[in-house]
């Protein structure tokens, strides 16, 4: 006996849900503005952007929570992501000792001088000493409260509530002495497992921020959530645990009607009104690069760099401190001092070489229980060296950035989503310390960027000669992945002049540890640290990487990462296509001169390597659209389109299928 059960498309779960949804839509009033019933949420490390799809701009809520806790109250400490001068110690009293910090600063300065010389710009002699002398003698001017139009209302009466978030948390006069612990739920596009003991506590803080913001800013109560849909913007290099927990929070815990998850790069192309682009998102803690082709993020082109706008702020502080920064009590661990440096970064920093001059600036410091103080500051090339860390990341301490971070555990959850064999290329060290489901995916762009760090299959002399021949006889994008040699990852360093560096081996990706140098295939990366003996770990297979590809690729300069991302898309035609449509978004995109700085550096890399390479073009965002909210704006555009009806995942879909529902609807899992 035959049956017609589940034999046609109209009998599937998606078709039945679509019919039910059509009945519900017919019964709801249609006089509402398009997108007014859709909430767009874009979580970030520094702020969460929330708003209706029909709104012109979102509400930005600082992503920080202050909770009352029992003593001892942990102190809020920012991880130092920028190298600091070591100073004179007992170990460095030798006259022959040279601080590595000075060598790194000198290398970046030489790179700047080369660019200024190319543009025929004059260098002011003794500018550093002149600025230092002026700053050391400057005395601040006191501004009375009634003369300060931007006076801050500090959160002082903190005994009434157990928790604060957003601006109220940042405006606390002294959170630690008041018994409050200050924490940020999200860090570097994932949950902040460094400061939180569990994911449940993180989700509790995120729920508090979302519920309170929706109630205070949008007058939405819990009973109204069932009438609203949500578009969630997730990172390009998303973590499945991160996506699953956020979707579960919004759909199950908070009870929204349905949800659609979109990647940042794809949402940014919607906001810019283009279908093909290489999207560069410079966030607060990370920078992501990905190529979008006709409404789809090319998975193999994704790259995640471990630096962002916060590193520019911190580097600016380190540079200004070298020239006797007049506000000497500044501490970046205090929220109001960090805000002062953020304001200075927005006003001072530039990437235009013609703006480098010995200028006078002023800034105002506002502290609790004190009158505002107005300072004067003279600076020279510090204003351009700070944002240059995006292209010269040798100043960044990448190892410190991942201290204390743990992979979110999900051993008890099965997603029934099959990975491709090439989705996760991991080192043997990572396999020994983390389960496979906890490891970050690595892309072809990351593998290309770290080819020169892979173990050499040939003797050193023979490998060197062949790589030199390959570097002169082949072009990127013309070889298959198996034929790409070490020189293809290294050759991108040639167009920009790099000064001579000390013997510790500082190069464009800041590899200073001998343990990170290429090792023979029969050795593990930490073989030098373990004594030879019967307990020595077995040798890695010849085709297995002996390095952490994701971590090493995160050290690349921004211009090199963009080129490698475009190269991972395919041949020379793809490289030309994406380098002529580079879209820069994020807060750091406001930096004056960013467009020319990227175009000139990418042009220097691509012209000698890509045949018939035309002019590299940076696409400006639409008029009157802030690049920092362009991804949110694109998701809002999607929320107002009729085609989004095919992308919704309802509560019943999520309850039955889980992450498989997102895979069916969003195509990228």
């Amino acid at each position: 006996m035959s049956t017609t059960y589940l034999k046609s498309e109209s009998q599937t779960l998606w078709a039945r849900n679509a019919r039910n949804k059509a009945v519900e839509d017919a019964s709801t009033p249609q006089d509402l503005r398009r997108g007014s019933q859709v909430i767009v949420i874009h979580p970030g490390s520094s702020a969460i952007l929330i708003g209706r799809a029909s709104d012109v701009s979102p509400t930005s809520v600082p992503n920080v929570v202050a909770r009352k806790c029992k003593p001892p109250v942990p102190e809020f400490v920012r991880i130092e992501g920028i190298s600091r001068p070591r100073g004179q110690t007992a170990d460095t009293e030798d006259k022959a000792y040279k601080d590595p910090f000075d060598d790194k600063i000198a290398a970046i300065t030489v790179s700047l001088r080369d660019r200024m010389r190319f543009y025929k710009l004059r260098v002011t002699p003794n500018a550093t000493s002149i600025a230092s002398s002026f700053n050391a003698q400057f005395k601040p001017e006191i501004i009375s409260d009634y003369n300060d139009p931007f006076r801050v209302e500090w959160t002082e009466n903190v005994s009434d509530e157990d928790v604060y978030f957003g601006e109220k948390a940042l405006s606390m006069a002294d959170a630690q002495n008041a018994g409050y612990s200050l924490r940020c739920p999200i860090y570097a596009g994932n949950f902040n497992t460094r400061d939180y003991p569990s994911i449940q506590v993180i989700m509790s803080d995120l729920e508090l921020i979302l519920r309170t913001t929706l109630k205070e800013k949008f007058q939405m109560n819990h009973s109204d959530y069932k009438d609203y849909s949500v578009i969630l913007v997730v990172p390009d290099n998303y973590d499945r645990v991160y996506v699953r927990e956020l979707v579960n929070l919004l759909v199950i815990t908070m009870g929204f009607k349905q949800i659609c998850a979109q990647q940042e790069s794809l949402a940014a192309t919607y906001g810019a009104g283009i279908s093909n682009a290489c999207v560069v998102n410079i966030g607060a803690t990370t920078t992501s690069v990905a190529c979008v082709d006709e409404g789809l993020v090319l998975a193999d082109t994704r790259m995640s760099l471990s630096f962002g706008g916060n590193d520019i702020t911190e580097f600016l502080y380190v540079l200004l401190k070298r020239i006797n920064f007049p506000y000497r009590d500044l501490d970046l661990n205090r929220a109001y001092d960090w805000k002062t440096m953020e304001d200075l970064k927005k006003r001072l920093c530039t990437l235009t070489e013609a703006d480098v001059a010995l200028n006078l600036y002023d800034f105002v410091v506002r502290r609790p229980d004190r009158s505002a103080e107005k300072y004067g500051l003279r600076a020279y090339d510090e204003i351009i060296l700070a944002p240059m860390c995006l292209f010269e990341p040798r100043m960044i301490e990448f190892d410190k950035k991942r201290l204390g971070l743990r992979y979110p555990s999900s051993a008890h959850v099965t997603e029934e989503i099959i990975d491709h064999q090439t989705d996760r290329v991991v080192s043997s060290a990572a396999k020994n310390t983390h389960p496979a489901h906890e490891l970050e995916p690595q892309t072809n762009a990351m593998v290309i960027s770290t080819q020169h760090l892979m173990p050499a299959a040939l003797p050193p002399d023979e490998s060197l000669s062949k790589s030199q021949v390959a570097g002169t006889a082949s072009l990127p994008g013309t070889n298959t992945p198996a034929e790409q040699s070490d020189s293809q990852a290294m050759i991108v360093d040639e167009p920009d002049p790099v000064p001579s560096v000390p013997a510790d081996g500082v190069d464009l990706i800041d590899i200073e540890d001998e343990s990170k140098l290429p090792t023979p295939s029969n050795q593990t990366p930490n073989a030098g640290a373990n004594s030879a003996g019967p307990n020595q770990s077995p040798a890695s297979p010849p085709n297995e990487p002996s390095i952490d590809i994701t971590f090493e690729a995160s050290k690349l300069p921004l211009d090199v990462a963009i080129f490698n991302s475009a190269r991972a898309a395919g041949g020379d035609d793809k490289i030309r296509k994406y380098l002529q449509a580079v879209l820069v978004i994020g807060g750091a995109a406001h930096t004056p001169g960013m467009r020319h700085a990227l175009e000139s550096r990418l042009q220097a890399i691509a012209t000698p390597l890509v045949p018939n390479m035309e002019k590299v073009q940076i696409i400006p965002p639409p008029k009157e659209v802030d690049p920092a909210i362009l991804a949110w704006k694109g998701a809002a555009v999607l929320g107002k389109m009729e085609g989004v009806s095919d992308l919704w995942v309802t509560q019943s879909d999520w309850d039955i299928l889980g992450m498989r529902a997102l895979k069916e609807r969003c195509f990228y899992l």
Side-chain angles (χ1 to χ4, degrees):
M1 187 175 72
S2 63
T3 178
T4 59
Y5 179 67
L6 287 183
K7 289 292 183 66
S8 65
E9 185 71 22
S10 62
Q11 295 176 323
T12 61
L13 177 65
W14 308 110
R16 296 199 300 270
N17 287 343
R19 288 196 297 268
N20 296 336
K21 184 175 181 297
V23 174
E24 293 177 2
D25 292 343
S27 62
T28 56
Q30 300 296 326
D31 56 349
L32 298 174
R33 290 180 59 192
R34 178 176 293 184
S36 60
Q37 296 296 107
V38 178
I39 301 296
V40 181
I41 301 176
H42 185 187
S45 300
S46 62
I48 298 180
L49 303 179
I50 309 175
R52 291 186 177 93
S54 57
D55 294 341
V56 177
S57 59
T59 298
S60 179
V61 183
N63 197 359
V64 58
V65 176
R67 266 190 197 278
K68 203 172 189 62
C69 61
K70 298 179 180 179
V73 180
E75 182 183 1
F76 180 75
V77 179
R78 291 185 182 272
I79 300 296
E80 292 186 357
I82 297 294
S83 299
R84 298 291 202 276
R86 296 185 181 179
Q88 290 293 330
T89 62
D91 299 331
T92 62
E93 290 181 355
D94 186 8
K95 294 182 179 180
Y97 173 79
K98 195 171 183 180
D99 193 345
F101 175 84
D102 296 331
D103 293 330
K104 296 176 181 179
I105 289 288
I108 301 179
T109 304
V110 169
S111 177
L112 173 62
R113 296 291 184 266
D114 289 341
R115 290 182 64 87
M116 293 181 68
R117 192 177 303 113
F118 176 80
Y119 293 115
K120 297 180 173 59
L121 297 174
R122 181 175 175 271
V123 177
T124 305
N126 300 324
T128 302
S129 59
I130 296 173
S132 299
S133 301
F134 176 86
N135 297 334
Q137 300 172 4
F138 191 88
K139 302 297 181 184
E141 173 189 350
I142 306 299
I143 302 177
S144 303
D145 290 344
Y146 56 83
N147 285 332
D148 186 8
F150 303 103
R151 183 160 51 95
V152 178
E153 297 294 336
W154 301 100
T155 307
E156 296 180 353
N157 299 325
V158 295
S159 59
D160 301 336
E161 300 183 29
D162 291 334
V163 60
Y164 293 90
F165 73 92
E167 289 292 348
K168 289 185 178 180
L170 294 178
S171 300
M172 298 184 71
D174 194 341
Q176 185 179 10
N177 289 339
Y180 286 80
S181 173
L182 215 61
R183 295 182 295 194
C184 301
I186 295 177
Y187 176 82
N190 208 333
F191 296 130
N192 184 5
T193 55
R194 177 190 289 121
D195 299 330
Y196 282 85
S198 66
I199 294 183
Q200 287 73 21
V201 182
I202 297 176
M203 303 314 297
S204 175
D205 282 353
L206 287 174
E207 183 180 358
L208 167 74
I209 295 175
L210 294 176
R211 285 187 184 275
T212 310
T213 302
L214 290 173
K215 185 176 182 179
E216 293 180 354
K217 302 293 184 181
F218 303 96
Q219 291 74 49
M220 288 177 55
N221 297 316
H222 177 68
S223 58
D224 300 326
Y225 294 166
K226 66 180 183 300
D227 300 325
Y228 284 84
S229 306
V230 174
I231 293 184
L232 176 66
V233 183
V234 300
D236 298 327
N237 272 318
Y238 56 88
D239 182 81
R240 284 184 183 169
V241 178
Y242 174 83
V243 176
R244 183 179 64 245
E245 294 295 336
L246 283 179
V247 173
N248 196 66
L249 168 68
L250 294 169
V251 174
I252 303 301
T253 306
M254 299 182 68
F256 281 100
K257 179 181 178 181
Q258 52 196 5
I259 192 170
C260 170
Q262 289 294 316
Q263 291 169 288
E264 289 174 336
S265 293
L266 182 57
T269 58
Y270 291 151
I274 54 179
S275 58
N276 301 285
C278 180
V279 182
V280 183
N281 184 7
I282 309 176
T285 54
T286 58
T287 298
S288 64
V289 183
C291 295
V292 178
D293 183 38
E294 299 295 341
L296 185 66
V297 177
L298 302 181
D300 271 337
T301 65
R302 296 174 301 167
M303 292 199 66
S304 181
L305 309 178
S306 297
F307 49 78
N310 286 356
D311 296 289
I312 299 177
T313 305
E314 187 178 350
F315 192 24
L316 179 64
Y317 163 71
V318 173
L319 291 170
L320 294 180
K321 194 174 180 182
R322 295 176 72 237
I323 57 172
N324 296 323
F325 188 57
Y327 176 33
R328 292 170 183 81
D329 295 334
L330 187 140
D331 183 2
L332 293 181
N333 292 323
R334 296 194 292 248
Y336 52 85
D337 282 346
W338 178 265
K339 190 174 182 180
T340 299
M341 286 306 304
E342 282 280 323
D343 178 65
L344 273 175
K345 177 187 72 173
K346 293 176 183 177
R347 292 173 49 231
L348 269 63
C349 285
T350 179
L351 282 167
T352 304
E353 289 79 6
D355 292 341
V356 176
L358 194 60
N359 294 327
L360 177 62
Y361 308 93
D362 61 76
F363 62 97
V364 179
V365 175
R366 295 177 177 88
R367 293 181 281 181
D369 302 326
R370 294 191 185 185
S371 298
E373 297 174 335
K374 184 177 181 180
Y375 287 86
L377 167 69
R378 297 199 77 172
Y380 182 55
D381 56 4
E382 290 78 14
I383 61 174
I384 192 172
L385 289 178
M388 277 183 65
C389 70
L390 299 177
F391 309 104
E392 302 275 350
R394 66 184 76 240
M395 294 301 307
I396 299 174
E397 298 284 350
F398 293 98
D399 291 315
K400 288 184 179 180
K401 283 176 172 282
R402 61 176 185 173
L403 288 176
L405 291 175
R406 310 180 309 276
Y407 283 98
S409 177
S410 59
H412 61 287
V413 178
T414 175
E415 297 163 353
E416 298 184 12
I417 297 179
I418 301 175
D419 285 341
H420 293 288
Q421 186 176 3
T422 57
D423 280 351
R424 299 176 184 271
V425 183
V426 298
S427 64
S428 57
K431 285 182 178 179
N432 294 334
T433 55
H434 301 287
H437 65 273
E438 293 184 357
L439 297 170
E440 296 182 5
Q442 288 124 18
T443 64
N444 189 31
M446 298 178 184
V447 175
I448 290 174
S449 302
T450 55
Q451 281 291 325
H452 62 291
L453 299 176
M454 296 295 185
L458 299 172
D461 53 347
E462 187 177 355
S463 173
L464 179 62
S465 62
K466 291 201 171 187
S467 66
Q468 289 174 343
V469 173
T472 56
S474 63
L475 292 170
T478 57
N479 296 337
T480 61
E483 295 172 340
Q484 289 169 340
S485 63
D486 297 352
S487 62
Q488 289 180 314
M490 294 290 287
I491 195 169
V492 295
D493 296 346
E494 293 179 4
D496 288 333
V498 178
S500 59
V501 295
D504 57 355
V506 179
D507 60 6
L508 272 178
I509 54 175
D510 197 21
I511 298 177
E512 301 174 286
D513 191 350
E514 291 181 356
S515 63
K516 299 175 186 175
L517 294 176
T519 55
S521 58
N522 60 348
Q523 297 179 2
T524 58
N526 55 354
N530 301 330
S531 58
N535 296 329
Q536 190 172 358
S537 59
S540 304
N543 58 349
E544 180 180 305
S546 60
I547 61 170
D548 188 341
I549 293 178
T550 305
F551 176 63
E552 296 298 335
S554 70
K555 303 177 181 181
L556 248 63
L558 180 58
D559 50 339
V560 178
I562 295 172
F563 181 78
N564 286 347
S565 176
R567 190 167 62 169
D572 295 332
D573 292 338
K574 294 289 187 181
I575 298 177
R576 288 191 290 266
K577 173 182 177 181
Y578 290 115
L579 290 188
Q580 291 173 5
V582 180
L583 179 64
V584 183
I585 64 174
H590 287 289
T591 306
M594 173 65 75
R595 180 177 179 178
H596 174 71
L598 262 180
E599 284 181 349
S600 59
R601 287 173 169 86
L602 283 173
Q603 196 74 53
I605 295 175
T607 300
L609 300 179
V610 182
N612 303 320
M613 182 65 205
E614 299 179 6
K615 189 179 186 300
V616 175
Q617 294 183 1
I618 307 297
I619 301 176
K623 290 183 178 180
E624 300 180 0
V625 176
D626 186 351
I629 66 170
L630 190 60
W632 182 93
K633 194 70 174 176
V637 170
L638 176 65
K640 291 183 285 189
M641 297 170 59
E642 294 182 358
V644 74
S645 59
D646 297 330
L647 304 177
W648 293 122
V649 174
T650 63
Q651 291 183 2
S652 60
D653 296 338
W654 181 257
D655 187 45
I656 296 173
L657 300 174
M659 290 290 285
R660 284 179 294 164
L662 284 180
K663 179 177 177 60
E664 291 290 336
R665 290 308 201 189
C666 301
F667 314 117
Y668 55 79
L669 287 174

